[in-house]
Amino acid sequence: MTLFTRRTMLKSAAVVGAYGAGLAVMPRLNQARAAPEPIEINAFTDAVMLDGKQQTRGVMRYAFSGQASGDPQPPVLRARRGEPFAARLLNRLDEPTTLHWHGIRLPNSQDGVPFVTQPYVYPGDTYDYAFAPPDAGTFWYHPHCNTLTQMGQGLAGVLVVEDARDPTFDGEVVLNLRDFRLGGDGQFIEQFKPRDAAKTGTFGTLRTANWQREPRYDVPAGGLVRLRILAADVTRLYNLRLSGAQAEIIAFDGHPVPQRMALDMAVVAPGQRLDLAVRVADAEGMEMVLEDIRPSTPKVVARLRAVGSSLKRSLGDLGPLAENAGVEADLSSATEIPLLLSATAENAARDSICGSIGYSFWAINKIPYPGDTPDPTAPIAELKLGKTYLLNLENVTPHAHPIHLHGMNFKAIASNKRAVQPLVSDTYLVLPDEKVQLALVADNPGDWVFHCHVIEHQKTGMTGYFRVS
Ligand code: C2O
Ligand code: CU
């Protein structure tokens, strides 16, 4: 019971809010699966203190109806595996938007991609989403309309799918990592520079975790804490390291790893998630530091501080996470799909209500995506429902691309650059000059977008979609 109390105590207000607004009314497994009352998520603009000095105007926020005060970052949403989840988006922005549920295998109609799966949601309108997430783990939600601006100015939150069979931790810390691009006066500056969009993407100026600079969280001394990390930035890749505590990687991109491994350094690219089991230091007051060691001078991402007397737990006590479905690929009958990732300068994206940034720098199979328009290009490929495919990605650019597929999972099979583990995922970081094979079972009908999650790359051509029928 002590553990439970501690755990409850350590949950953030946002998390408790999520329960209050949504889960309490959800039916339990084995009960009638009537659709629950949707949680209401408002999208709106606000002035928020981000840099610690001045209010930034025009920050885009998500908040539950009636809960706009308090922690300004998008709330952590909680759902349970296999149970109906429903959310109503209220668009109080002055531009259209949608909600996309990144990494969730859901019906195509709930995927939130304007023109491909739904009309965009006008200012003042609402839109209802409903699905029962089949996988447990760390996922996220964000708009798929004018994405560079909307995500860049704030819209990206964590969606946790729980499973009661997961082991009990003594605490949980959710970290939503991102930058904001602000000038010296604390106001947004232009979201991108064309010459950076044509390279790695344009970086923000203010690094944050949960919209704070180097936040610190209290965790039970000697306890086992689950750290759920999301790289929600539009550009930045993180090389994460944790000092001052033992930690094991328990899941990547929402999915439990077959074998837990000690965390040395983990690369987390835009769109990706990392779940760690942390064995907190024993001594009260000890700090553990999560750092990004990608920049030449390492940067503090967040700190954990041990509180209370040691619970004396051990990582070895921790049972496995409940499994997610694997990718049951039949490689003997697989059809290969070549996918060339390259640079281009042709066919700038057409102007559109969901935002074009007016340039074309990237292409998949030499075709730059025309943007969110009523007449997108033909699908990259038409896939037969139930059949196995091998996506043969070849990156002929000098930049890394975190390539994301909606609606289905894949697993890496082979790479010319590294020993790959057959991890189930929705986002694979394709390194410069890498050729990688991703196996996929086309088990979800619909049109599913496939794009780089460096949003400037996505918006300047590196996007396409598969049609599964
Ligand atoms: Cu994280 Cu197409 O999305
Ligand atoms: Cu890219």
Side-chain angles (χ1 to χ4, degrees):
M1 234 41 249
T2 328
L3 295 189
F4 182 72
T5 311
R6 258 180 195 285
R7 190 175 179 219
T8 309
M9 186 186 82
L10 289 162
K11 282 195 165 145
S12 74
V15 171
V16 173
Y19 274 100
L23 279 179
V25 294
M26 279 188 163
R28 296 285 163 276
L29 271 177
N30 305 326
Q31 288 187 354
R33 303 203 167 201
E37 273 295 298
I39 52 174
E40 290 192 345
I41 302 171
N42 290 264
F44 60 105
T45 53
D46 200 1
V48 176
M49 172 87 76
L50 295 168
D51 65 359
K53 287 177 256 164
Q54 46 234 315
Q55 300 274 329
T56 300
R57 293 182 300 274
V59 175
M60 293 188 180
R61 293 185 51 198
Y62 288 129
F64 295 125
S65 285
Q67 295 185 16
S69 58
D71 187 355
Q73 72 157 332
V76 176
L77 306 185
R78 302 235 162 203
R80 290 207 173 99
R81 185 209 299 270
E83 294 189 20
F85 171 85
R88 174 168 299 155
L89 167 67
L90 287 82
N91 183 5
R92 305 225 148 96
L93 303 169
D94 53 17
E95 59 182 71
T97 190
T98 63
L99 275 181
H100 167 59
W101 311 92
H102 182 126
I104 303 286
R105 298 183 296 128
L106 40 55
N108 197 239
S109 61
Q110 305 305 302
D111 196 41
V113 182
F115 300 110
V116 178
T117 72
Q118 68 161 89
Y120 42 72
V121 185
Y122 278 108
D125 280 359
T126 66
Y127 197 89
D128 284 352
Y129 295 90
F131 51 86
D135 300 309
T138 306
F139 300 93
W140 62 301
Y141 63 103
H142 63 76
H144 228 278
C145 179
N146 200 13
T147 318
L148 185 61
T149 301
Q150 292 186 10
M151 273 180 55
Q153 294 188 197
L155 298 183
V158 174
L159 167 61
V160 170
V161 181
E162 298 182 332
D163 187 312
R165 294 168 301 162
D166 277 351
T168 306
F169 289 83
D170 305 311
E172 178 172 290
V173 176
V174 179
L175 293 177
N176 176 348
L177 309 187
R178 57 164 303 144
D179 296 359
F180 290 91
R181 227 175 113 68
L182 306 179
D185 60 354
Q187 304 311 311
F188 285 108
I189 51 177
E190 78 290 345
Q191 194 66 51
F192 76 102
K193 294 187 190 142
R195 55 165 234 272
D196 290 342
K199 294 185 196 149
T200 53
T202 310
F203 289 91
T205 58
L206 176 71
R207 287 168 168 263
T208 68
N210 294 343
W211 289 29
Q212 293 167 274
R213 293 172 307 152
E214 305 181 12
R216 188 178 70 192
Y217 298 95
D218 286 352
V219 290
L224 295 174
V225 168
R226 183 170 186 164
L227 210 53
R228 299 180 184 264
I229 301 169
L230 160 68
D233 193 56
V234 294
T235 307
R236 186 177 300 285
L237 279 72
Y238 299 82
N239 289 7
L240 296 177
R241 179 173 79 182
L242 183 73
S243 60
Q246 278 175 284
E248 283 180 355
I249 297 173
I250 55 174
F252 270 124
D253 297 335
H255 303 285
V257 292
Q259 205 114 58
R260 299 209 295 250
M261 53 199 125
L263 170 70
D264 173 23
M265 183 277 286
V267 178
V268 189
Q272 296 189 304
R273 290 86 68 206
L274 174 70
D275 281 54
L276 301 176
V278 179
R279 184 356 178 123
V280 179
D282 288 298
E284 164 119 53
M286 276 281 290
E287 277 199 358
M288 294 138 277
V289 185
L290 184 71
E291 285 181 305
D292 177 14
I293 58 170
R294 197 171 185 91
S296 44
T297 333
K299 296 275 193 267
V300 173
V301 172
R303 295 172 206 271
L304 303 176
R305 182 177 62 176
V307 296
S309 54
S310 177
L311 298 178
K312 301 220 165 63
R313 298 258 266 153
S314 141
L315 280 169
D317 299 344
L318 204 63
L321 297 178
E323 272 181 50
N324 285 343
V327 173
E328 303 305 332
D330 173 10
L331 296 182
S332 64
S333 74
T335 302
E336 306 200 16
I337 301 175
L339 293 164
L340 185 75
L341 307 177
S342 65
T344 184
E346 281 157 40
N347 301 322
R350 292 195 280 282
D351 211 8
S352 129
I353 189 137
C354 275
S356 152
I357 67 175
Y359 295 87
S360 175
F361 295 122
W362 308 98
I364 298 177
N365 287 347
K366 304 238 159 91
I367 300 174
Y369 198 66
D372 297 314
T373 71
D375 54 342
T377 49
I380 304 175
E382 305 213 11
L383 314 185
K384 275 216 184 63
L385 192 61
K387 219 180 124 36
T388 296
Y389 293 87
L390 279 170
L391 309 181
N392 289 340
L393 282 155
E394 180 176 4
N395 180 3
V396 296
T397 80
H399 304 287
H401 301 285
I403 297 286
H404 169 50
L405 174 63
H406 288 209
M408 292 174 288
N409 292 324
F410 50 71
K411 72 179 173 195
I413 297 290
S415 159
N416 67 333
K417 293 278 272 196
R418 45 182 157 168
V420 290
Q421 289 185 294
L423 299 176
V424 175
S425 172
D426 54 71
T427 308
Y428 184 91
L429 181 65
V430 193
L431 301 174
D433 304 316
E434 183 172 7
K435 288 188 203 176
V436 63
Q437 279 195 311
L438 306 177
L440 164 76
V441 181
D443 57 5
N444 200 356
D447 287 347
W448 299 108
V449 254
F450 178 75
H451 61 84
C452 182
H453 227 288
V454 170
I455 306 299
E456 286 155 81
H457 295 178
Q458 173 192 354
K459 297 298 272 182
T460 57
M462 200 173 276
T463 300
Y465 67 100
F466 294 106
R467 175 161 294 161
V468 178
S469 59

